[in-house]
Amino acid sequence: MSFEIPIGPQHPALKEPIGVRVTVDGEIIRDADLHLGYNHRGVEKLAEQKNWTQNIYLMERICGICSHSHATCYVQGVEKLMEIEPPKRGLFIRILVSELERVHSHLLWLGVAGHEAGFDSFFMYVWRDREIVMDILETISGNRVHYAINTIGGVRRDLDELQAKHILDSLEVLRQRSEYYQKLGTTEPSFVARLAGVGYLSKEDAIELCAVGPTLRASGVPMDVRKDDPYAVYDEVPFEVCTADTCDVLGRTVVRIKELMQSYNIIEYLLKNLPDGPIAVRAPRRAKPNEVVSRYEAPRGENIHYIKSNGTDKPERLKVRAPTLANYAATIKMLKNGFIADVPLIFAAIDPCICCAERSVAIVEEKTQQERIVTMSSLRELNLKITNYQARKREAEWPL
Amino acid sequence: MKIGVFIPELLRHLFKKPATVDYPFKKLEVPPGFRGSPYLRPELCIACRACERDCPAEAIEITLTNEAEKKFNMIIHNDRCIHCAQCVDSCPTEAMQMDNLFEISDYDRHDMKKQWDYVRAVVKPKAEPKS
Ligand code: SF4
Ligand code: SF4
């Protein structure tokens, strides 16, 4: 006897509204299906009615955590369309902010992972330390969340010596704390036991299901847009692509902690080698008819924007493929044969950003049509039926 | 593997000050350059409408109130403003500025409007408007 359990779109275990319907056999998940579209906001359509400049801020508001990722991805594409080249210093500041954003996003994730694994004090310490990087971002851009540092043709604010020194000093603290968390994460036995083996995704599956970002790298595939197709100045910045080969949530944690360290190194390199010069070039108001695909390695994985211009000051079409969407197929795979209690952890492990991903209304598969909505009362009825008429089978197996 | 590796850290924090601030009684300073709300310096505005055109939230409304005297009225709808400071960047004469207030909520969104009635200034734009 198998059950279907609807989780979400609004559910206390989920941080963001996502609809998932899991078919369970006892405690074991046999099948899972995602329902997208609850958080659809019509951003792409709205973008067609705003000019190139206005759209920077609209793209930024796709997501609160990777606001810089979307804005940068968009701005890079528009710069290609307008055939302008931002100055070196502008690019350095741009990727400085993007690495700071990666630091804050990974720290946020680390805290959430601790919280989902039932290690709440870890969560609080990590989030306290995350404030340091939030403050850095606020000093250099004027806002904690929507930095709005990008403009078409460069960045909007310059960095002075004092700020650079402030960042370097704070970085030391962050580095120490992250090393401590790394040590803690690998030696706290209950934490490790909770994460190890959960949400297994083999290397082959990860490639086949087109997973991206830390989820992919935790399955042992060293793929990173920053290395494979370097944008901005990543081709001259030394860094390593971090991988893990445990293919589970523990691996994803390890990858993110390693990436934190890499980000600190990148930030240090950028600040020490910041070139002089202007930070932006003047951009035209219109772009010639053309189309462009822009790629960007967001903290959650590869972010893709497709932009089509038609000679006016507005885009003809703007399509956003957020990293979370790419990871959904892999998530289904990870959920299968796991426990119900692992659902929040597995979801948290792809670091989902639902408002990023909900670009289009769900693709309805044939299978979904036969699905019934299970209400709470019928679930109860079903439950009673089982208890009354069926001898319970104890065929649940350990999912590993 | 060790049991209780976290305990020293916990004990250390027992004697530390809390990481949070007593907010309504004690306030943190915002850094210089903080993006608060936009305001107009009417003596500098040449009514070029660059800010209106580039505002992503359509929060700025400029109307010509008197054709002959070149009188204008500008409304900034602070309830719509997303505090991006693009108007400041777009303005060619520095007439648009940002303050650094952050406690700007209100009970009614219509009370959040700011208005200026002014005569168009005749200042030379200092720099080309940034797009
Ligand atoms: S700060 Fe941004 S949203 Fe607010 S009025 Fe200026 S341009 Fe418009
Ligand atoms: S851009 Fe500046 S000068 Fe032009 S209308 Fe706006 S405030 Fe006035």
Side-chain angles (χ1 to χ4, degrees), chain A residues 14-73:
Chain A
L14 300 170
K15 300 287 168 294
E16 281 181 274
I18 181 168
V20 48
R21 198 169 292 263
V22 290
T23 311
V24 293
D25 181 1
E27 276 289 298
I28 312 263
I29 299 169
R30 290 292 175 219
D31 198 6
D33 196 6
L34 283 174
H35 287 237
L36 310 183
Y38 183 78
N39 214 3
H40 180 70
R41 290 174 297 170
V43 168
E44 287 176 10
K45 193 69 195 164
L46 186 59
E48 290 165 21
Q49 284 144 33
K50 304 225 173 249
N51 66 33
W52 297 115
T53 316
Q54 290 174 317
N55 273 334
I56 307 170
Y57 306 102
L58 179 63
M59 288 304 114
E60 195 159 51
R61 276 153 184 83
I62 286 179
C63 177
I65 298 170
C66 35
S67 60
H68 187 71
S69 310
H70 284 286
T72 310
C73 196

Side-chain angles (χ1 to χ4, degrees), chain B residues 42 45-48 69-72 118-122:
Chain B
C45 177
I46 54 169
C48 66
E69 290 172 47
K70 296 270 180 283
K71 272 199 175 154
F72 286 83
Y118 59 98
V119 180
R120 191 178 78 183
V122 273

Side-chain angles (χ1 to χ4, degrees), chain A residues 338-359:
Chain A
F339 286 125
I340 300 180
D342 292 337
V343 172
L345 196 58
I346 293 173
F347 262 104
I350 64 163
D351 202 358
C353 182
I354 311 303
C355 46
C356 285
E358 309 256 296
R359 297 272 64 78

Side-chain angles (χ1 to χ4, degrees), chain A residues 57 61 156, chain B residues 35-38 51-52 54-60 75-78 80-90 96-98:
Chain A
Y57 306 102
R61 276 153 184 83
R156 294 168 68 196
Chain B
R35 298 200 307 269
S37 307
C51 51
E52 192 184 24
D54 277 346
C55 172
E58 289 160 25
I60 302 176
I75 305 174
I76 298 183
H77 296 272
N78 261 319
R80 286 188 221 153
C81 175
I82 56 172
H83 310 281
C84 62
Q86 177 60 43
C87 47
V88 181
D89 279 10
S90 292
M96 199 53 99
Q97 296 288 328
M98 289 304 250

Side-chain angles (χ1 to χ4, degrees), chain A residues 250-318:
Chain A
L250 187 63
R252 281 158 221 150
T253 314
V254 170
V255 166
R256 286 191 173 97
I257 295 183
K258 279 195 201 159
E259 281 188 6
L260 275 177
M261 301 300 173
Q262 292 297 328
S263 285
Y264 299 145
N265 292 345
I266 299 177
I267 294 169
E268 209 175 325
Y269 176 89
L270 291 173
L271 286 173
K272 297 225 164 113
N273 296 288
L274 199 63
D276 288 326
I279 53 167
V281 290
R282 204 166 130 53
R285 290 211 59 91
R286 289 162 208 286
K288 281 196 243 95
N290 204 344
E291 56 184 356
V292 70
V293 170
S294 169
R295 301 166 78 195
Y296 178 92
E297 183 74 23
R300 288 163 181 71
E302 184 185 1
N303 184 12
I304 301 175
H305 282 212
Y306 165 81
I307 311 164
K308 189 172 179 198
S309 56
N310 56 5
T312 63
D313 61 350
K314 297 187 175 83
E316 163 115 3
R317 176 83 174 96
L318 185 72

